[in-house]
């Protein structure tokens, strides 16, 4: 199974920078084409820039997707983007339930599950994010919180083909702090066990780690058991770092 290296560009850059960044990522892959034998690269730009990166992604074996989608299929939902629209533009993935959406847009796990159902209906792979806050962890409640998020955020029919889990401790996102390898190993094996209980078939369902991943810590994180890739924010905005994460993981 290839590890998934997913870039979450969030609300950064402009059209010119999006084109430049995807070209630089493609050029880096071309410098060492064997990297795509072991890694799948996913880019999630702002919605508006998806068409601008489509051709170059297709040419270089990079997949792309969005950072959110509507629960609705179509209709009078001003400002919303449907899963089908993402698919129409060539997107194959959608990030759902990122902690920034849970925190700033009040998204609940129930809403995330509805969005995931919409994503699956449009043939998209849902990257469902879960993770505890620092105070949850200080209180020793990380498994309880993540377990409850998983229970409520995964829709019926979730499987290894249509769903990826991203474990992102909230306190590690954009802070430069990362969870220790031991903490990541414990949480990923907890998630793995819960998925086994929760889903009819959870075999091969990928579990990513996210939170301040960069080339310097990529080898340790990506060689941790049950870590099947990374969801990368800040470091995905620089081609050298984004591809460098896979290179560092490979070389150690
Ligand atoms: P970060 O963000 O890599 O900048 O910590 C990760 C994320 O929010 O997905």
């Amino acid at each position: 199974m290839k590890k998934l290296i997913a870039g979450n560009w969030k609300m950064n850059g402009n059209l010119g920078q999006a084109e430049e960044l995807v070209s630089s990522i493609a050029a880096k892959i071309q410098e060492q084409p064997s990297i795509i034998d072991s890694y799948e690269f996913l880019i999630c730009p702002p919605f508006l820039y998806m068409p601008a990166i489509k051709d170059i992604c297709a040419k270089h074996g990079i997949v792309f997707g969005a950072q959110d989608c509507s629960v609705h299929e179509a209709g009078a939902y001003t400002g919303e983007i449907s899963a089908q629209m993402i698919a129409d533009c060539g997107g194959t993935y959608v990030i759902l339930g990122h902690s920034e959406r849970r925190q700033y847009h009040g998204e609940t796990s129930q809403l995330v599950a509805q969005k995931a159902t919409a994503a699956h209906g449009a043939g998209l792979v849902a990257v469902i994010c879960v993770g505890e806050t620092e105070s949850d962890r200080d209180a020793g409640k990380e498994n309880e919180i993540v377990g409850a998020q998983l229970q409520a955020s995964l829709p019926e029919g979730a499987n290894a083909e249509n769903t990826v889990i991203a474990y992102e401790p909230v306190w590690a996102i954009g802070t430069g702090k990362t969870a220790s390898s031991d903490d990541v190993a414990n949480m990923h094996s907890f998630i793995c066990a819960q998925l086994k209980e929760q889903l009819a078939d959870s075999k091969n369902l990928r579990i990513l780690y996210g939170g301040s991943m960069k080339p310097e810590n990529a080898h340790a994180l990506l060689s941790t058991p049950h870590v099947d890739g990374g969801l990368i924010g800040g470091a995905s905005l620089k081609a050298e770092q984004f591809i460098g994460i896979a290179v560092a993981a490979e070389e150690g």
Side-chain angles (χ1 to χ4, degrees):
M1 185 171 49
K2 285 189 190 186
K3 287 197 194 277
L4 178 63
I5 303 295
N8 174 9
W9 288 5
K10 308 191 181 183
M11 197 175 71
N12 285 300
N14 57 34
L15 182 56
Q17 286 166 341
E19 287 169 345
E20 219 173 279
L21 180 51
V22 72
S23 299
S24 310
I25 289 170
K28 289 270 165 227
I29 292 175
Q30 254 178 330
E31 279 170 22
Q32 33 202 322
S34 64
I35 200 90
I36 55 173
D37 297 338
S38 323
Y39 295 90
E40 181 179 4
F41 293 99
L42 164 65
I43 297 176
C44 296
F47 289 121
L48 289 170
Y49 303 151
M50 291 197 329
I53 68 164
K54 181 180 175 177
D55 289 348
I56 192 150
C57 283
K59 194 163 160 213
H60 294 275
I62 302 166
V63 290
F64 69 92
Q67 301 167 17
D68 182 37
C69 73
S70 174
V71 290
H72 304 291
E73 276 182 30
Y77 301 104
T78 302
E80 292 274 85
I81 303 276
S82 74
Q84 189 56 53
M85 289 169 178
I86 296 166
D88 270 357
C89 289
T92 49
Y93 282 80
V94 60
I95 298 170
L96 295 174
H98 188 279
S99 67
E100 286 149 18
R101 295 213 58 89
R102 291 178 187 263
Q103 188 180 348
Y104 305 134
H105 301 271
E107 291 198 3
T108 60
S109 292
Q110 288 70 21
L111 184 77
V112 173
Q114 287 173 355
K115 290 186 173 194
T117 299
H120 293 162
L124 301 179
V125 179
V127 180
I128 298 179
C129 304
V130 294
E132 81 286 356
T133 62
E134 192 152 35
S135 59
D136 294 333
R137 183 161 279 271
D138 289 346
K141 285 185 175 166
E142 63 275 13
N143 287 9
E144 190 187 317
I145 296 291
V146 169
Q149 287 175 339
L150 282 175
Q151 196 71 48
S153 305
L154 265 73
E156 217 172 291
N159 59 41
E161 270 80 56
N162 64 20
T163 303
V164 172
I165 300 298
Y167 166 59
E168 300 203 299
V170 178
W171 48 271
I173 295 175
T175 57
K177 295 187 208 169
T178 41
S180 69
S181 287
D182 278 356
D183 288 343
V184 175
N186 288 339
M187 181 55 83
H188 279 241
S189 82
F190 168 75
I191 292 173
C192 207
Q194 168 141 348
L195 292 177
K196 212 167 166 181
E197 265 182 39
Q198 212 179 307
L199 302 176
D201 184 12
S202 66
K203 207 167 150 240
N204 295 332
L205 198 149
R206 290 174 290 183
I207 307 170
L208 314 183
Y209 169 81
S212 299
M213 193 184 273
K214 49 188 186 244
E216 293 75 15
N217 58 27
H219 182 70
L221 289 166
L222 291 169
S223 57
T224 301
H226 302 299
V227 175
D228 306 308
L231 181 54
I232 298 134
S236 74
L237 297 171
K238 295 203 174 94
E240 200 168 298
Q241 289 194 19
F242 185 56
I243 299 303
I245 285 173
V247 172
E250 198 76 340
E251 290 171 355

